[in-house]
Amino acid sequence: MEQFGTAILLALAAMLANGEYLFGSSMLSRPLVTCTLAGLIMGDVQMGIIMGATLELAFVGSFSIGASIPPEIISGSILGTAFAIATGESIAVALALGIPIASLVLVVKNLCFIFVLPYFVHKADKYALEGNSRGISRMQLLGGFLSINLPIGIIVATSYLVGSPVIQNVLDAIPAFVIAGLGIATGLLPAYGFALLLKLMVNKKNAVFFVFGFALAVYLKVPVTGVAIFGACLALILTGYATLKNDNGPTNNNTEPALANDGGINYEDEEF
């Protein structure tokens, strides 16, 4: 009975994390939040936070852009954390379980988008032709709940109930060298996540900041928190300088760069 209650709570946590479709981009779906909730439910908040931070690095570049849909990180994070805590295994095992689960649940989620959601979309179109705004709102809420929230909640609850003993047996059968390999993969996956993020962001204008952070971390041995503080201060300095210049500096209606008296570029009027 206790296991059933835990499964229900994990399902509710997954449904809450999917609430971004209703409440907007609140970052509830990120592993740092979902793993912490899973750790709280499983009775080990500290391990949930640690696993959430690790999975966050692995999924840092996982955002839906156009037709590119990343793995379903909500169910993967919650179930990976729950299974790892329930079986007393390491963070590496949470990663090894979370990523395949996220990929499998994505298939189910896409099937719901294909076969369930269109019904509510067509009903909303019908209500739109009739000028029925309440009907449109009702279809939006029902469509999101029945095609996203409820299926994910059912998958998480069922997988936990069915999978926990099975996962324990599987883990017992895994050789020690495989678990050690998973530990190595734990260190590689965050780098892969950052690579996905850099692929979207980095260009010749901001690559210097990446090199600067790399140099701070590798050669000056500055911790990640210190690099983040350096980056935040640098961003505030650059954006603050540009804002101050726009508020108080001289205006120049000419689109050409302002020239100094000696004929060179006046860097006081330039943005960096």
Side-chain angles (χ1 to χ4, degrees), residues 33-71:
V33 177
T34 55
C35 291
T36 302
L37 291 176
L40 179 63
I41 294 169
M42 298 299 297
D44 194 343
V45 180
Q46 181 179 359
M47 185 58 66
I49 294 173
I50 294 173
M51 291 181 177
T54 305
L55 285 169
E56 185 68 54
L57 290 174
F59 286 113
V60 70
S62 295
F63 288 94
S64 178
I65 300 174
S68 176
I69 302 176

Side-chain angles (χ1 to χ4, degrees), residues 68-248:
S68 176
I69 302 176
E72 213 286 321
I73 61 176
I74 295 173
S75 56
S77 300
I78 290 178
L79 287 174
T81 302
F83 285 147
I85 293 177
T87 55
E89 295 293 338
S90 64
I91 300 173
V93 173
L95 265 175
L97 295 175
I99 294 177
I101 289 171
S103 300
L104 290 174
V105 175
L106 177 62
V107 176
V108 178
K109 192 173 183 179
N110 285 336
L111 290 175
C112 291
F113 281 155
I114 294 172
F115 295 107
V116 180
L117 188 60
Y119 169 79
F120 298 96
V121 174
H122 294 317
K123 289 287 291 184
D125 289 339
K126 180 180 178 182
Y127 286 131
L129 292 174
E130 298 173 357
N132 187 347
S133 59
R134 290 187 176 181
I136 297 173
S137 299
R138 187 165 61 251
M139 290 302 101
Q140 288 178 330
L141 294 174
L142 288 175
F145 179 76
L146 295 177
S147 65
I148 300 173
N149 286 63
L150 186 60
I152 296 299
I154 293 175
I155 291 172
V156 169
T158 305
S159 299
Y160 180 77
L161 289 173
V162 175
S164 186
V166 175
I167 292 296
Q168 180 63 65
N169 294 332
V170 171
L171 291 176
D172 291 339
I174 296 177
F177 73 89
V178 176
I179 297 296
L182 293 177
I184 297 174
T186 302
L188 294 177
L189 283 172
Y192 177 71
F194 273 113
L196 290 175
L197 188 62
L198 285 173
K199 184 179 179 181
L200 302 175
M201 297 175 56
V202 72
N203 54 48
K204 63 182 181 180
K205 294 182 179 180
N206 57 30
V208 63
F209 299 105
F210 170 73
V211 176
F212 176 64
F214 177 81
L216 286 176
V218 175
Y219 295 105
L220 299 181
K221 307 300 181 183
V222 178
V224 175
T225 303
V227 175
I229 293 173
F230 271 112
C233 292
L234 187 60
L236 289 173
I237 290 171
L238 293 177
T239 56
Y241 175 81
T243 302
L244 181 64
K245 182 185 74 64
N246 291 333
D247 289 342
N248 300 325

